[in-house]
């Protein structure tokens, strides 16, 4: 019998890639989102447009016992959206409502296992003040002190999924993603993340020019290529480990190093100008000890390989937009 999967947030960046992967594996896939994917035709067999904050709608799309359910829908964005404070109420209300609805509808359909994508943003701010030595071990989460309401909502929802495991015999799986990047992700408009923003700025900059980078550029992060994120997601859902577990890369770079990497890939002569801007924590890196131990797997691709593919894709997008404007 053909296996079935539900992907909530299928019109988004990671959800779009996940649908492709599940189709390759022969699943019948239903995707749900507020919108169609911006950059590609969906490969889902059934794509339902609707609002997962609406309980009736959620019950109508969870109309069978899917073999696999992935809940990725969230109100989110890059530093420019999460850290200004202006969107806090929406971020918390919208994402928490989605999770409450989806999880309960799955439980009522006697679906046992739901994958939930939490985020490294739930780690305490005080463990991420030293850019060279951030602590993101899974058990460092408490006492909790995320630096954004986005992180607090993730923490609440992680606990919600695990509470359904304890009280209702579910087997939900919780991952903490660390900065996922790759082609077919948001690259302009304010919700884009650092790898996409850098790629856009470099692609648009003229030879001999400069790009602006927020902060002093010494803040550190690691970035995970989307194919490896999807691989880790599927492995975790199908494993016997409930998590929460980091899905991220341990290759930590400063933001200026990331910018320089993109400049080098472009082969342009471009400088970096550090300017004030919304930042987030000083340092963050994935800690992969637990995933290695429990899944016998961890991401292994070098950052530059993923950045090379991503830069080429974003450059293509920038060129396309430019040509459209001219026409
Ligand atoms: P994305 O914004 O591209 O995708 C999320 C999708 O959810 C969007 O297409 C959006 O339209 C949809 N959505 C939002 N509200 C909805 C609603 N009310 N009803 C239906 N759909 C709704 O984000 P992404 O990068 O693909 O991230 C997927 C998940 O992974 C999110 O939960 C995010 O918090 C988590 N995550 C992502 C990263 C990352 O670096 N991309 C890092 C940590 C965690």
């Amino acid at each position: 019998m053909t296996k079935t999967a539900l992907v909530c947030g299928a019109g988004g960046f990671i959800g779009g890639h996940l649908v492709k992967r599940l189709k390759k594996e022969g699943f019948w896939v239903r995707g749900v989102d507020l919108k169609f994917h911006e950059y590609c035709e969906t490969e889902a067999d059934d794509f339902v447009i609707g609002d997962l904050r609406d309980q009736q709608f959620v019950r109508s799309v969870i109309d069978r016992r899917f073999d696999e359910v992935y809940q990725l829908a969230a109100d989110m964005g890059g530093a420019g959206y999460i850290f200004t404070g202006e969107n806090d109420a929406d971020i918390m209300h919208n994402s928490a409502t989605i999770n409450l609805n989806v999880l309960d509808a799955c439980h009522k359909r006697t679906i046992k296992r739901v994958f939930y994508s939490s985020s490294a943003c739930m780690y305490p701010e005080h463990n991420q003040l030293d850019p060279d030595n951030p602590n993101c071990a899974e058990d460092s989460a408490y006492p909790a002190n995320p630096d954004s309401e986005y992180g607090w909502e993730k923490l609440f929802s992680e606990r919600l999924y695990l509470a359904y495991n304890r009280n209702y015999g579910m087997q939900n799986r919780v991952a903490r993603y660390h900065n996922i990047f790759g082609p077919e992700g948001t690259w302009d408009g304010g919700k884009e993340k650092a790898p996409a923003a850098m790629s856009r700025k470099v692609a648009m900059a003229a030879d001999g020019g400069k790009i602006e980078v927020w902060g002093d550029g010494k803040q550190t992060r690691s970035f995970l290529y989307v194919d490896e994120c999807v691989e880790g997601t599927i492995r975790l859902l199908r494993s016997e480990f409930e998590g929460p577990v980091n899905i991220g890369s341990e290759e930590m770079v400063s933001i200026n190093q990331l910018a320089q990497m993109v400049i080098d890939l472009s082969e342009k002569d471009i400088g970096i100008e550090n300017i004030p801007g919304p930042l987030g924590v000083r340092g963050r890196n994935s800690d992969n000890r637990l995933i290695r131990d429990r899944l016998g797997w961890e991401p292994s691709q070098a950052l530059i390989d993923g950045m090379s593919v991503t830069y080429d894709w974003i450059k293509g997008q920038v060129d396309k937009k430019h040509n459209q404007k001219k026409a």
Side-chain angles (χ1 to χ4, degrees), residues 93-108:
H93 175 267
N94 294 343
S95 296
T97 309
I98 294 170
N99 285 309
L100 289 162
N101 285 344
V102 171
L103 183 53
D104 206 57
C106 286
H107 168 54
K108 295 218 162 74

Side-chain angles (χ1 to χ4, degrees), residues 60-78:
S60 74
V61 289
I62 302 178
D63 60 354
R64 67 196 77 186
R65 285 177 75 179
F66 289 95
D67 293 298
E68 298 189 354
V69 176
Y70 298 89
Q71 197 321 74
L72 277 69
D75 190 7
M76 65 169 294

Side-chain angles (χ1 to χ4, degrees), residues 73 89 91 93 136 165 180 191-192 207 277:
I91 289 170
H93 175 267
C136 288
N165 285 359
I180 315 303
K191 284 195 175 189
E192 66 281 12
D207 225 357

Side-chain angles (χ1 to χ4, degrees), residues 8-15 32-35 50-53 71-76 94 98 116-120 150 154 176-181 186 193:
C8 300
F13 167 48
I14 303 169
V32 183
D33 205 295
L34 281 173
K35 58 169 181 65
D51 191 334
L52 292 165
R53 289 171 301 181
Q71 197 321 74
L72 277 69
D75 190 7
M76 65 169 294
N94 294 343
I98 294 170
Y116 173 58
S117 53
S118 179
S119 163
Y150 169 77
K154 288 293 187 192
R176 294 173 180 160
Y177 288 164
H178 289 242
N179 293 319
I180 315 303
F181 76 99
T186 305
K193 306 281 189 53

Side-chain angles (χ1 to χ4, degrees), residues 292-311:
R292 271 199 294 275
D293 183 44
R294 301 307 293 266
L295 298 194
W297 174 89
E298 68 179 309
S300 56
Q301 186 176 302
L303 175 61
I304 190 149
D305 295 341
M307 282 309 299
S308 167
V309 181
T310 306
Y311 176 73

Side-chain angles (χ1 to χ4, degrees), residues 5-25:
L6 175 71
V7 178
C8 300
F13 167 48
I14 303 169
H17 285 271
L18 182 59
V19 168
K20 284 186 190 170
R21 166 70 186 265
L22 291 167
K23 283 309 299 170
K24 257 194 209 126
E25 290 190 11

